[in-house]
Amino acid sequence: MTRRKQKESRAERNIAWCEKYLRIPEGKHVGKPLKMAEFMKEDFRAIYDNPHGTRRAIISRGRKNAKSFEAAAILLLHLCGREALRNSHLHSAALSRDQAALIFNLATKMVRMNEALNNVIMVRETKKELFCPELGIVYRALSADVGTNFGLSPALIIHDELGQVRGARSPLYEALETATAAQENPLTIIISTQAPRTPISYRSSLMTPRLGMIRIPCCALTRRTPTMIHSPSQPSKRQIRR
């Protein structure tokens, strides 16, 4: 009897999509097809194969360990890949404009390195936006100095270097997180290098949210201890597939 081929999990399908369409955007291996490192695959399994569903994932590693690259890959998955939801809004957020541009720049380079992605994604450099007209999905990079009156309902938020926030709160973080209330399965990715001390705003992201929001699954992902998290969502039919 022939053994039936085991069905791929959601995370494995996402990993396969990234390895098919994404190329290394910079460094000594620039331009080469992505071969995802095992620790990054473990992060994907934790986020997308968590049976309880993931509302928030915290990825904390040392410098130069592909945190921003991983975030950019997740962004493209939700912009035009297997996690794309029609007419959704995606955001990345950081304290400064330069930091906010990092994920945008990496994603833009990966788009331009692949003809299939370049054909379906419009790059708006001045606005720091990526737009998929076919699905009506918009991604925008935001910084803390742009204000918090967005009037949007993001399906995916990536907070870059949240651990560097100083003070009791981050208005940008709070504005974006409360804006997800209208989404059925929003996903927040927090990436941060180990900070000299843990600011209150970063610690509070691990606790039960205020403003009447319910407790959500939340777990830190590190290179040595990746774990459980994921946010169920239905992929669009007209996305780039394997």
Side-chain angles (χ1 to χ4, degrees):
M1 295 178 62
T2 58
R3 182 176 297 178
R4 183 177 297 178
K5 185 178 179 180
Q6 187 176 1
K7 185 179 179 180
E8 283 185 317
S9 70
R10 181 183 178 191
E12 295 301 327
R13 290 193 297 270
N14 287 342
I15 290 168
W17 186 92
C18 289
E19 291 188 334
K20 179 174 182 178
Y21 288 102
L22 304 185
R23 293 180 176 272
I24 306 299
E26 55 190 27
K28 64 179 181 179
H29 299 298
V30 62
K32 293 183 179 180
L34 171 64
K35 182 64 176 176
M36 195 175 287
E38 187 58 35
F39 72 87
M40 198 178 297
K41 290 182 180 180
E42 290 173 352
D43 288 354
F44 269 58
R45 295 183 190 112
I47 294 170
Y48 294 109
D49 284 347
N50 176 15
H52 304 292
T54 299
R55 169 63 180 83
R56 179 181 296 144
I58 301 174
I59 302 174
S60 180
R61 295 197 287 264
R63 294 176 61 84
K64 302 300 180 182
N65 274 292
K67 297 186 301 297
S68 296
F69 171 80
E70 183 174 352
I74 291 173
L75 164 65
L76 291 175
L77 263 175
H78 288 257
L79 181 65
C80 64
R82 289 186 169 271
E83 296 296 320
L85 291 173
R86 186 176 293 278
N87 299 326
S88 58
H89 294 273
L90 319 175
H91 291 306
S92 65
L95 293 179
S96 67
R97 293 186 180 183
D98 289 343
Q99 186 70 37
L102 289 179
I103 293 175
F104 169 82
N105 290 339
L106 287 172
T108 298
K109 289 175 182 177
M110 287 189 280
V111 166
R112 289 171 172 165
M113 286 179 171
N114 183 281
E115 184 178 359
L117 297 182
N118 202 35
N119 287 338
V120 298
I121 297 176
M122 295 176 57
V123 178
R124 299 168 174 171
E125 291 276 3
T126 55
K127 293 184 177 181
K128 294 293 184 287
E129 287 183 356
L130 299 178
F131 176 49
C132 180
E134 184 80 9
L135 299 174
I137 301 175
V138 180
Y139 155 72
R140 185 183 179 193
L142 303 172
S143 60
D145 54 0
V146 300
T148 56
N149 297 318
F150 307 124
L152 301 176
S153 180
L156 172 71
I157 306 171
I158 300 172
H159 295 282
D160 195 0
E161 295 297 351
L162 186 62
Q164 301 299 324
V165 173
R166 294 291 179 263
R169 56 190 294 269
S170 167
L172 180 59
Y173 174 83
E174 293 181 357
L176 288 173
E177 289 300 307
T178 55
T180 63
Q183 293 291 330
E184 182 179 2
N185 295 302
L187 175 62
T188 293
I189 305 292
I190 298 173
I191 60 174
S192 186
T193 306
Q194 184 176 3
R197 62 186 179 87
T198 305
I200 295 173
S201 58
Y202 188 64
R203 289 202 307 269
S204 66
S205 68
L206 300 171
M207 302 176 184
T208 304
R210 294 172 292 177
L211 303 177
M213 295 177 68
I214 62 172
R215 178 178 289 274
I216 53 181
C218 177
C219 202
L221 300 182
T222 66
R223 287 191 66 167
R224 294 185 178 180
T225 56
T227 24
M228 32 191 302
I229 36 210
H230 135 161
S231 169
S233 59
Q234 294 297 322
S236 170
K237 294 181 180 179
R238 302 185 71 180
Q239 56 198 248
I240 297 178
R241 295 182 178 275
R242 288 186 302 157

